[in-house]
């Protein structure tokens, strides 16, 4: 009857992990504004909501390179051409490059993403209910991983219980039926989380995602500098058609 001990362990793991996921999802949903949000996204805001701090850094680098204020070489180096930034985030990029006026693009991306100006942008979006707080996003993701681990533990404990010697004929069906209960609980919780909780593992809250989706098609998919920068904000550097810029970022991401 040792399988009963294993069953209790499986049930405890399933219940506690599912309860943690429910609490994390409730905490994340609490950050959502009660009513509708009338807000026109800036490029920086769209970038953060679409891809987080690194996306903001990428957008700024592309914007400054397109306006000839930075040179992004295919070797993965960024060189300052105009040392005067137009806003706090551009000044963060120039500061990340350093007094020598040249630095690796990868290092500049990481330093800009961690800059005070980007953190202030994130705080404003969280306050407006458009971005998911770091704690909520990380808590939901960790809770989902715990439920997955609990489901795996249930399967392992069930397998051990079924292979234990000394059982009576027909015990296998009984054991499998009992272990099916915590397994169904965890799998059902994961299935619900796939649709109801998944938005809270992203940078943007559901409201923020709706604002990104509501960007005019002519702005997102059209031609011109505004359309290009908006595409970079929403889709990342892969939206850039300039092969030299794509190669510069590709080299930086490979760490060369």
């Amino acid at each position: 009857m040792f399988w009963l001990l294993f069953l209790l362990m499986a049930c405890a793991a399933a219940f506690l992990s599912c309860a943690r996921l429910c609490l994390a999802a409730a905490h994340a949903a609490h950050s959502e504004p009660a009513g509708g949000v009338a807000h026109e996204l800036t490029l920086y805001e769209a970038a953060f909501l679409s891809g987080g701090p690194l996306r903001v850094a990428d957008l700024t680098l592309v914007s400054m390179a397109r306006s000839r204020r930075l040179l992004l070489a295919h070797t993965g180096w960024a060189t300052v051409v105009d040392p005067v930034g137009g806003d706090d985030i551009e000044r963060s990029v120039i500061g990340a490059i350093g007094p020598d006026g040249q630095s690796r693009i990868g290092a500049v991306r990481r330093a800009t993403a961690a800059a005070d100006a980007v953190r202030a942008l994130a705080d404003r979006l969280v306050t407006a209910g458009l971005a998911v707080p770091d704690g909520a996003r990380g808590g939901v993701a960790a809770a989902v991983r715990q439920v997955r681990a609990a489901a795996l533990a249930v399967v392992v404990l069930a397998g051990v219980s079924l292979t234990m010697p000394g059982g009576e004929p027909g015990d296998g069906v009984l054991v499998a039926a009992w272990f099916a209960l915590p397994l169904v609980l965890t799998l059902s919780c994961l299935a619900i989380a796939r649709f109801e909780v998944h938005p809270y593992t992203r940078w943007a809250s559901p409201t923020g995602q709706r604002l990104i989706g509501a960007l005019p098609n002519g702005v997102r998919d059209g031609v011109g500098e505004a359309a290009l920068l908006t595409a970079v904000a929403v889709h990342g550097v892969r939206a850039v058609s300039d092969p030299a810029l794509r190669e510069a970022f590709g080299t930086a991401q490979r760490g060369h």
Side-chain angles (χ1 to χ4, degrees), residues 8-25:
L8 290 176
M9 294 170 59
C11 290
F15 176 79
L16 292 176
S17 62
C18 290
R20 180 187 177 188
L21 178 56
C22 291
L23 290 174

Side-chain angles (χ1 to χ4, degrees), residues 6-245:
F6 293 151
L7 176 62
L8 290 176
M9 294 170 59
C11 290
F15 176 79
L16 292 176
S17 62
C18 290
R20 180 187 177 188
L21 178 56
C22 291
L23 290 174
H27 175 67
H30 184 68
S31 64
E32 276 283 274
V37 175
H39 189 93
E40 185 174 347
L41 294 178
T42 66
L43 283 176
Y44 287 142
E45 290 172 341
F48 185 91
L49 295 177
S50 299
L54 282 175
R55 182 69 58 80
V56 176
D58 289 343
L59 170 68
T60 311
L61 287 169
V62 170
S63 175
M64 296 179 73
R66 295 278 298 178
S67 59
R68 303 293 189 269
R69 288 175 291 147
L70 278 184
L71 173 63
L72 302 182
H74 70 279
T75 55
W77 285 84
T79 302
V80 176
V81 177
D82 181 359
V84 180
D87 54 47
D88 289 343
I89 297 181
E90 289 189 356
R91 286 188 283 273
S92 297
V93 169
I94 295 171
I97 293 175
D100 294 336
Q102 192 174 59
S103 182
R104 288 281 189 181
I105 294 175
V108 176
R109 292 175 73 237
R110 292 188 293 271
T112 303
D116 291 340
V118 178
R119 284 197 294 269
L121 171 67
D123 291 341
R124 291 195 300 270
L125 290 170
V126 169
T127 301
L130 302 179
V132 178
D134 284 341
R137 185 177 57 256
V140 170
V144 169
R145 289 193 296 269
Q146 186 174 354
V147 175
R148 288 173 181 162
L152 179 60
V154 171
V155 173
V156 171
L157 290 171
V160 172
S161 299
L162 289 171
T163 56
M164 290 180 62
E168 297 293 332
D171 279 356
V173 176
L174 179 63
V175 170
W178 277 107
F179 274 96
L181 297 178
L183 182 61
V184 168
L185 174 61
T186 53
L187 295 180
S188 299
C189 193
L190 288 174
I192 294 173
R194 178 65 182 84
F195 298 99
E196 299 295 335
V197 179
H198 181 63
Y200 297 108
T201 62
R202 304 173 184 172
W203 292 101
S205 69
T207 301
Q209 293 170 37
R210 287 192 292 272
L211 289 180
I212 293 173
L215 288 173
N217 290 333
V219 174
R220 286 190 300 174
D221 306 322
V223 295
E225 196 67 15
L228 171 64
L229 294 179
T230 304
V232 172
V234 176
H235 302 295
V237 179
R238 66 178 183 272
V240 176
S241 57
D242 186 340
L245 277 179

